[in-house]
Amino acid sequence: MREDQYVALSQLVRVLGRRRTDRSGPRLTENTLIRVAIDLLLSRANRLTGNTERELRASVLDTPTQPDDNRQQGDQ
């Protein structure tokens, strides 16, 4: 996981934690969101195509591939 991903994920956990209407359940963590993301990825596994992280991401997210930038260092 890249540092920018972890920072954004941690921020999202805090936002979602504040939005919770029922706090009696388990606390939300970064791992909670990672498990949700894995479930989503696996549910779309038949759509995955490509040779790079960028291409795989685009195929599963229905987004056109974008030029490489600093946030996509995993494609190197």
Side-chain angles (χ1 to χ4, degrees), residues 9-69:
L9 195 60
S10 295
Q11 182 179 10
L12 181 57
V13 166
R14 287 190 298 275
V15 168
L16 293 174
R18 287 191 299 268
R19 287 185 194 165
R20 287 181 78 169
T21 57
D22 180 5
R23 297 178 189 268
S24 64
R27 124 183 129 90
L28 298 176
T29 66
E30 289 84 357
N31 283 340
T32 306
L33 297 183
I34 291 167
R35 286 191 301 272
V36 169
I38 290 170
D39 287 339
L40 178 61
L41 177 66
L42 294 175
S43 74
R44 296 181 178 190
N46 62 327
R47 297 167 54 174
L48 280 167
T49 59
N51 297 304
T52 65
E53 180 179 336
R54 181 172 49 103
E55 291 171 354
L56 291 166
R57 181 185 310 108
S59 72
V60 77
L61 295 177
D62 292 328
T63 58
T65 56
Q66 299 294 320
D68 287 334
D69 63 22

